[in-house]
């Protein structure tokens, strides 16, 4: 069996940390708990991430980098059904690959807007609206549709952690795409 790459190890650590931060809160999640969950020593984990705050920042940076990659991939597409479908597909993949990160972002929705996580969520939200070429100030109904479409993805992604369903990625994309108001006929 091939050894995991440094990136694969980091991805596993960040995803596990995100899951534990979402489940237990930042204050109640120790470096030791994260190390135990990923099968590393506390010393080894601290070698990669010198503090719990550095690990939390890495989790957030990873999430923001991923959503910015989706935004960059759709940026040159004209606003409309094609761009929406491409954005939903990119975000759906992220939701399925990073369920812990999604859970952390969802848990952050109840945090104070002025908090560090609240500010980060605002930045992530801005990038998401950019993906869908949507300005929530000028088109609040469209903004609600975007939030609803992504909310469905997030909830399903987190739910699939606990109880796997026989659903394909395309099924998830279709449901979210429908929530944007295009319907399946527009995707053909």
């Amino acid at each position: 069996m091939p050894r995991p790459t440094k990136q694969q190890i980091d991805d596993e650590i960040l995803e596990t940390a995100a899951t534990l931060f979402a489940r237990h809160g930042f204050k109640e999640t120790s470096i030791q708990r994260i190390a135990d969950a990923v099968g590393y020593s506390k010393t080894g984990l601290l070698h990669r991430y010198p503090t719990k705050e550095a690990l939390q920042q890495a989790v957030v940076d990873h999430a923001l980098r991923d959503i910015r990659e989706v935004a960059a991939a759709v940026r040159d597409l004209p606003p409309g059904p094609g761009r929406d479908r491409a954005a939903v597909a990119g975000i759906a993949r992220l939701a399925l690959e990073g369920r812990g990160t999604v859970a952390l972002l969802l848990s952050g929705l109840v945090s104070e807007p002025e908090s560090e996580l609240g500010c980060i969520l605002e930045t992530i939200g801005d990038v998401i609206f950019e993906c869908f070429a949507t300005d929530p100030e000028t088109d609040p109904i469209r903004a609600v549709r975007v939030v609803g479409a992504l909310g469905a993805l997030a909830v399903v992604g987190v739910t699939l952690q606990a109880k796997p369903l026989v659903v394909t990625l395309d099924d998830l994309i279709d449901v979210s795409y429908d929530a944007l108001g295009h319907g399946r006929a527009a995707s053909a």
Side-chain angles (χ1 to χ4, degrees):
M1 188 163 105
R3 294 180 70 187
T5 66
K6 181 185 182 319
Q7 186 62 53
Q8 289 169 325
I9 293 168
D10 283 343
D11 288 348
E12 178 188 11
I13 291 169
L14 296 177
E15 182 62 18
T16 301
T19 299
L20 293 172
F21 290 151
R23 186 174 298 146
H24 304 291
F26 180 71
K27 289 180 183 176
E28 298 301 318
T29 303
S30 67
I31 289 288
Q32 185 64 58
R33 178 181 259 171
I34 296 166
D36 291 345
V38 293
Y40 294 103
S41 68
K42 181 178 176 179
T43 304
L45 188 59
L46 287 170
H47 179 71
R48 287 183 175 302
Y49 302 97
T51 65
K52 187 167 68 165
E53 290 76 14
L55 180 55
Q56 180 189 36
Q57 187 62 51
V59 167
V60 168
D61 290 347
H62 188 262
L64 193 51
R65 184 195 74 228
D66 286 349
I67 196 64
R68 283 184 172 144
E69 287 175 5
V70 173
V74 302
R75 186 168 288 123
D76 293 334
L77 296 174
R83 180 176 177 149
D84 285 354
R85 187 154 190 91
V88 165
I91 294 169
R93 283 186 197 86
L94 292 179
L96 290 178
E97 293 168 3
R99 294 177 184 145
T101 302
V102 170
L104 178 63
L105 294 174
L106 286 175
S107 73
L109 293 176
V110 297
S111 65
E112 294 296 321
E114 300 82 29
S115 72
E116 183 179 343
L117 189 54
C119 292
I120 292 163
L121 285 173
E122 185 174 342
T123 301
I124 290 173
D126 291 344
V127 177
I128 287 172
F129 286 126
E130 177 188 328
C131 288
F132 292 93
T134 299
D135 179 359
E137 299 290 324
T138 59
D139 195 350
I141 298 300
R142 168 97 168 132
V144 168
R145 285 186 175 276
V146 168
V147 170
L150 299 182
L153 274 178
V155 170
V156 169
V158 171
T159 302
L160 288 177
Q161 270 184 306
K163 184 175 183 175
L165 303 172
V166 182
V167 191
T168 67
L169 178 61
D170 287 337
D171 293 332
L172 296 176
I173 293 168
D174 285 344
V175 168
S176 290
Y177 186 74
D178 290 350
L180 290 169
H182 298 302
R184 293 175 198 238
S187 67

